[in-house]
Amino acid sequence: MDQDVVSTAQEIRDMKIRGAGRIARAGARAVGTFAKNYTGSDYTDFRKDLDEAMRVLLDSRPTAVSLWNGVQAAARGVNQVDRVDDARELLIRNAEEFVKESEEAVRTIARIGAKRVEDGDVIMTHCNSSVAIGVIAEAHRQGKDIKVFATESRPWRQGILTVNDLAKEGVDTTLIIDSAVRLVMKDVDKVFVGADTITSQGDLVNKIGTSQVAMAAHEARVQFYVCSETYKFSPLSLQGDLVKIEEREISEVVRPGEIPDSVKVYNPVFDVTPSYYIDGIITEVGLISPGSVYDVMQRKFGTELMTE
């Protein structure tokens, strides 16, 4: 097994690489590196080894459709070649193109999303989304006077990363504990969050706690926006596949001996926010409604990826 694939998968599993976009780019790069490092000449063996490498990568974060789409994008078209050299060149080119397009998408979403931010807005964000942060930072760079409340986002406390990112941009930022969301929401004008997965129905799968933020925003009549590259849209959901909600180790929540062995701990990584709580999804192809996700998926993925 290619060691870069193994190490990338382990870093994703251990949360050293986190964030849907970063995970997707890491997966695509690993497929490209696998191709660069491959020295065999038998095509059957190559395909077997590629399938195994892709499985190892995808198993590292089963909920993150961005990883699935990044890995699949890097391998797209491999069924149409029958020589190892041609396949290697194809995978390397695909991986490089995906990474480039992914990074450009973040910049485009920042420009589009910043238009939804008005001078004087108070914004809330959850977890650590480079795309949502990009929108906020771009609005600040445009000279808009904004303030941000960022949730701590336990148990991994990704909010610490977020407030550091925003502080570097000079944004007026306040870190809040997760359970303060409803209390603080009365002072908020807009919510911007990222996405791990968006289903064909326009539902959002994201960091645990996102649905509670959305419910509080809905109650307070605060606009709730999702910032997402289109490769986070899940073609698998069109085939009826359910999004698996990953559960992680209880050691992330409690220390050994802190509670009796008879007490169970439930540590889900994600939750689902229904589409009717979402005011808009900001993508690199524009601001769309949750109901438009299906049409965008058809145009982006076509029949090839949506039926694989």
Side-chain angles (χ1 to χ4, degrees), residues 1-9 26 29-31 33-34 37 57:
M1 174 60 64
D2 183 88
Q3 286 305 304
D4 186 77
V5 168
V6 173
S7 62
T8 298
R29 286 193 186 101
V31 173
T33 302
F34 163 84
N37 294 341
L57 289 167

Side-chain angles (χ1 to χ4, degrees), residues 85-296:
D85 287 346
D86 293 338
R88 290 178 64 252
E89 291 178 8
L90 177 67
L91 267 57
I92 294 169
R93 183 170 64 251
N94 283 348
E96 292 173 348
E97 289 178 355
F98 177 84
V99 170
K100 179 180 178 181
E101 291 174 2
S102 171
E103 292 172 341
E104 179 57 35
V106 173
R107 293 188 286 269
T108 300
I109 292 169
R111 292 193 296 270
I112 295 172
K115 295 178 182 180
R116 307 303 294 183
V117 180
E118 299 175 278
D119 193 50
D121 272 351
V122 177
I123 295 167
M124 182 178 288
T125 190
H126 182 60
C127 198
N128 180 243
S129 164
S130 59
V131 191
I133 290 171
V135 168
I136 297 167
E138 177 61 25
H140 174 73
R141 286 192 289 267
Q142 292 176 3
K144 296 176 181 177
D145 180 21
I146 58 176
K147 296 181 180 179
V148 176
F149 287 106
T151 59
E152 191 178 13
S153 307
R154 283 190 174 270
W156 271 84
R157 304 178 74 213
Q158 289 100 326
I160 300 297
L161 300 173
T162 295
V163 297
N164 276 287
D165 291 339
L166 291 173
K168 289 176 184 177
E169 294 287 344
V171 179
D172 184 341
T173 307
T174 300
L175 180 71
I176 63 172
I177 59 175
D178 294 344
S179 50
V181 164
R182 188 169 181 265
L183 175 67
V184 173
M185 191 64 74
K186 66 182 187 301
D187 300 319
V188 173
D189 297 296
K190 297 180 178 77
V191 176
F192 291 92
V193 299
D196 276 271
T197 299
I198 296 177
T199 73
S200 58
Q201 293 83 22
D203 297 331
L204 167 67
V205 181
N206 197 47
K207 167 73 176 182
I208 188 72
T210 302
S211 65
Q212 295 173 96
V213 174
M215 290 174 66
H218 183 75
E219 177 193 41
R221 298 186 178 181
V222 171
Q223 296 173 35
F224 183 92
Y225 292 103
V226 178
C227 308
S228 173
E229 307 92 324
T230 54
Y231 64 76
K232 295 174 185 175
F233 293 3
S234 173
L236 297 174
S237 62
L238 279 172
Q239 303 170 31
D241 288 7
L242 298 175
V243 177
K244 180 180 179 181
I245 299 300
E246 179 185 349
E247 185 176 353
R248 293 183 63 85
E249 296 295 324
I250 66 173
S251 60
E252 297 179 355
V253 181
V254 295
R255 294 184 291 270
E258 194 170 26
I259 60 175
D261 292 340
S262 60
V263 176
K264 302 177 182 65
V265 175
Y266 181 43
N267 182 24
V269 183
F270 306 103
D271 60 21
V272 181
T273 300
S275 61
Y276 50 79
Y277 285 138
I278 300 171
D279 290 284
I281 302 173
I282 305 166
T283 77
E284 72 273 21
V285 298
L287 175 63
I288 67 173
S289 69
S292 299
V293 170
Y294 175 80
D295 293 334
V296 172

